[in-house]
Amino acid sequence: MSKILVIAEHLDGKLNPSTARAVSAAVAVKPEAIDVLVLSDKVDAIAAEAAKIEGVSRVLTVARSENAHPLAAVLAPQIAKAAAGYSHVFAPSTTFGKDVAPRVAALLGVAQLSDVMSVEGSHTFKRPIYAGNAIITVEVDAAHAVVATIRTASWPAAASGAGNAAIEAINLDVTLPSHTRFVELKQGKSDRPDLQSAGKVVSGGRGVGSKENFEIIYKLADKIGAAVGASRAAVDAGYVPNELQVGQTGKIIAPELYMAIGISGAIQHLTGIKDAGTIVAINKDAEAPIFEIADIGLVGDLFKLIPELEQAIG
Amino acid sequence: MKILVGYKRVVDYNVRIQVKPDGTGVVTDGVKLSANPFDDIALEEALRLREKGVAEEVVLVGIGPADLTAHLRNGLAMGANRAIHVVTADAVQPLTAARTLLKLVEKEQPGLVILGKQAIDDDANQTGQMLAALWDRPQATFAGKVEIAGGKATVTREVDAGLETIEAELPAVITTDLRLNEPRFIKLPDIMKAKSKPIDTIEFASLGVDTHDQLKTTHYAAPAKRSKGVMVKDAAELVAALKQKGLL
């Protein structure tokens, strides 16, 4: 039978919603137990949140001052040690999970599976390659632990509230390296919903034209309570910060509503939004590839259309 | 200091890949192959560190079939001092690639290894992290800015929450993100010069790397197609359609 260890992602004492998405994938394996591992300097609030997630059996905590920031070199040896006895180790496919999971896998001497989008069996999974242009079915050798990152856009967050998992502090006898040190984190401060978990996202591309013009995107997003995203072109041109980039090399998202404004729709961008519920495209070029995947398309000048949209929304 | 740079050959990023109808793979015959874009960024960063006097030598490392040489020459033309070509006809998974790179690290003793954050064919995003683990050295993934001084690398990383800066004692492994730099173009005289630069070839089997693949791909499929959308004529119609779907 399977036993799954899910690595919790958190920031500023709060659990990241990506953790509950990884729990959903763990539930799909139909394991005998799902334990969530919380590594932090202050574990209590995070562990309490994790314990409420439906499907979680136990929350294991390791409180060490070295775990104050998510450094892969520091966390990986602890996770590898904690992984003993588990058939699967899952982490969300966020920059956190992508950084730490391969390091854990290599310490365990096993291969790692990236971006699991569906579970076909306890050792059979589907994942995208070539920027999502092909989906492969992969069988993992059952002789080893399955170390995988879970593509968050493919999984709903497991419900929170009904769970009542036991919280246990565990002691891992691991010497931690001091060769890697945290200096600082500069967060793009925003009162808007988080891009990765938002139900609605309004994204702007090169067509927006400038950093100043991007205000029109923010304004529309605020009007409908959406998060703001951007294409690589808009990020590279300096219109918005990096963490707003949606696509193969940025964030992969699956909101109910995605509005692409002034975005042509390069393959790399489409990869990031393929799983969105409804895709709306507004572009002045009727031939733009974004219209091939849009559910609703509108051809025209965004500077004229957005104010009209706002008015029509009321 | 010596810098080792990983250089993978992949289907060019502009190619729209086709899945074979029988599900055995993707069509790669006759499609354009190029260096992985993130690896060009890795090489560019290594060259800039050499130009700043931080490094003396930039060594390009490729793992692949005999005809990979031509692509390694491109990297030499960009400015790498020499190349190492580990020759194997088989596709190499990230764990095997990391184990192979570790052998070369042991032999070459670099102060820094720079790899791309992911290859655009398998989209794995693993090799750098795995190498750092096996080598027991720091890793700085998704690098957007790199400064080397006093035996350590100060790296600003592009993470979901924003920009994170970490310090890593050398030797270390850095993986590159898109905005680290803009790779230079190759000039014709450099292509001529690259012809006389050395490429060491090493038979993969001679390295004694465990090649047991723990991941077996059993089927390839095209992604599910989205159903055909509709065009609306104005903003009012768009809002009406979204309200009808309960999205506004």
Side-chain angles (χ1 to χ4, degrees), chain B residues 77-119:
Chain B
M78 240 176 97
N81 297 77
R82 63 188 169 90
I84 300 172
H85 178 185
V86 178
V87 187
T88 171
D90 301 325
V92 167
Q93 292 184 0
L95 182 60
T96 307
R99 286 172 169 162
T100 306
L101 290 171
L102 182 67
K103 296 280 183 191
L104 302 179
V105 160
E106 285 164 355
K107 185 162 165 261
E108 297 282 341
Q109 300 284 322
L112 190 60
V113 177
I114 312 182
L115 306 179
K117 78 165 177 183
Q118 78 194 64

Side-chain angles (χ1 to χ4, degrees), chain B:
Chain B
M1 180 170 83
K2 186 193 287 185
I3 303 178
L4 233 54
V5 174
Y7 212 60
K8 185 179 181 182
R9 184 176 66 177
V10 297
V11 172
D12 189 86
Y13 73 98
N14 282 314
V15 173
R16 195 173 268 212
I17 206 81
Q18 298 293 330
V19 175
K20 290 180 188 168
D22 63 359
T24 56
V26 296
V27 179
T28 51
D29 292 342
V31 303
K32 187 185 175 198
L33 302 173
S34 302
N36 182 41
F38 292 101
D39 298 356
D40 271 334
I41 295 171
L43 175 56
E44 176 64 34
E45 195 64 19
L47 297 174
R48 290 184 188 188
L49 289 169
R50 191 184 64 193
E51 282 154 8
K52 278 187 209 157
V54 172
E56 292 83 45
E57 194 185 25
V58 174
V59 182
L60 209 56
V61 176
I63 306 170
D67 65 353
L68 176 66
T69 311
H71 285 84
L72 290 172
R73 289 266 174 232
N74 285 344
L76 292 173
M78 240 176 97
N81 297 77
R82 63 188 169 90
I84 300 172
H85 178 185
V86 178
V87 187
T88 171
D90 301 325
V92 167
Q93 292 184 0
L95 182 60
T96 307
R99 286 172 169 162
T100 306
L101 290 171
L102 182 67
K103 296 280 183 191
L104 302 179
V105 160
E106 285 164 355
K107 185 162 165 261
E108 297 282 341
Q109 300 284 322
L112 190 60
V113 177
I114 312 182
L115 306 179
K117 78 165 177 183
Q118 78 194 64
I120 60 163
D121 51 1
D122 64 12
D123 282 333
N125 196 330
Q126 301 173 10
T127 306
Q129 294 89 315
M130 288 182 155
L131 171 63
L134 300 174
W135 190 15
D136 197 15
R137 294 305 309 166
Q139 69 188 46
T141 52
F142 322 130
K145 193 177 165 203
V146 174
E147 277 165 38
I148 308 270
K152 64 172 202 260
T154 305
V155 179
T156 302
R157 307 176 54 234
E158 299 197 3
V159 297
D160 290 336
L163 297 172
E164 182 197 64
T165 303
I166 63 170
E167 269 178 17
E169 285 172 16
L170 300 181
V173 178
I174 291 173
T175 74
T176 61
D177 216 318
L178 278 173
R179 277 165 288 275
L180 181 58
N181 61 49
E182 190 88 30
R184 66 195 65 187
F185 289 106
I186 298 168
K187 297 188 205 78
L188 190 60
D190 297 328
I191 295 173
M192 301 311 289
K193 260 186 264 170
K195 287 186 177 157
S196 59
K197 288 184 179 177
I199 300 181
D200 292 336
T201 52
I202 300 176
E203 279 303 321
F204 179 70
S206 73
L207 289 170
V209 172
D210 175 4
T211 59
H212 172 65
D213 281 339
Q214 297 169 5
L215 302 179
K216 203 174 289 162
T217 298
T218 55
H219 188 73
Y220 292 74
K225 277 214 165 63
R226 296 182 68 96
S227 52
K228 187 92 183 83
V230 296
M231 299 301 285
V232 293
K233 63 176 191 330
D234 58 26
E237 208 178 302
L238 172 57
V239 170
L242 291 176
K243 281 191 173 157
Q244 200 193 348
K245 284 180 167 230
L247 290 166
L248 281 180

Side-chain angles (χ1 to χ4, degrees), chain A residues 9 11 70-73 94-96 98-99 102-103 105-107 109-115 127-141 144 178-188 196 200 224 232 235-236 242-243 245 248-249 251 256-257 259 267-268 273-280 282 291-299 305 308-309 312-313, chain B residues 11 13-19 26 28 38 93-95 99 117-127 129-134 136-142 152 154 157-169 177-179 212-224 226-236 238-239 241-243 245-248:
Chain A
E9 175 173 6
L11 182 65
L71 294 168
T94 54
T95 53
F96 164 77
K98 288 173 180 174
D99 189 36
R103 192 161 180 128
L107 292 177
V110 306
Q112 197 233 192
L113 203 56
S114 298
D115 301 317
R127 63 170 299 254
I129 57 171
Y130 288 103
N133 287 296
I135 309 299
I136 56 171
T137 306
V138 183
E139 274 176 21
V140 187
D141 195 334
H144 305 277
S178 58
H179 54 46
T180 311
R181 295 174 289 271
F182 174 86
V183 179
E184 63 168 351
L185 173 65
K186 279 197 188 135
Q187 284 177 264
Q196 222 140 14
K200 297 174 194 167
I224 63 169
R232 182 185 162 192
V235 173
D236 283 351
N242 302 344
E243 65 264 22
Q245 188 187 327
Q248 182 187 19
T249 56
K251 290 192 173 80
E256 287 164 48
L257 172 64
M259 298 184 75
I267 298 175
Q268 290 80 3
I273 57 166
K274 271 184 185 150
D275 295 324
T278 297
I279 298 175
V280 173
I282 297 178
F291 288 118
E292 287 170 31
I293 70 152
D295 300 286
I296 307 174
L298 177 54
V299 177
L305 289 173
E308 286 176 9
L309 267 178
I313 291 165
Chain B
V11 172
Y13 73 98
N14 282 314
V15 173
R16 195 173 268 212
I17 206 81
Q18 298 293 330
V19 175
V26 296
T28 51
F38 292 101
Q93 292 184 0
L95 182 60
R99 286 172 169 162
K117 78 165 177 183
Q118 78 194 64
I120 60 163
D121 51 1
D122 64 12
D123 282 333
N125 196 330
Q126 301 173 10
T127 306
Q129 294 89 315
M130 288 182 155
L131 171 63
L134 300 174
D136 197 15
R137 294 305 309 166
Q139 69 188 46
T141 52
F142 322 130
K152 64 172 202 260
T154 305
R157 307 176 54 234
E158 299 197 3
V159 297
D160 290 336
L163 297 172
E164 182 197 64
T165 303
I166 63 170
E167 269 178 17
E169 285 172 16
D177 216 318
L178 278 173
R179 277 165 288 275
H212 172 65
D213 281 339
Q214 297 169 5
L215 302 179
K216 203 174 289 162
T217 298
T218 55
H219 188 73
Y220 292 74
R226 296 182 68 96
S227 52
K228 187 92 183 83
V230 296
M231 299 301 285
V232 293
K233 63 176 191 330
D234 58 26
L238 172 57
V239 170
L242 291 176
K243 281 191 173 157
K245 284 180 167 230
L247 290 166
L248 281 180

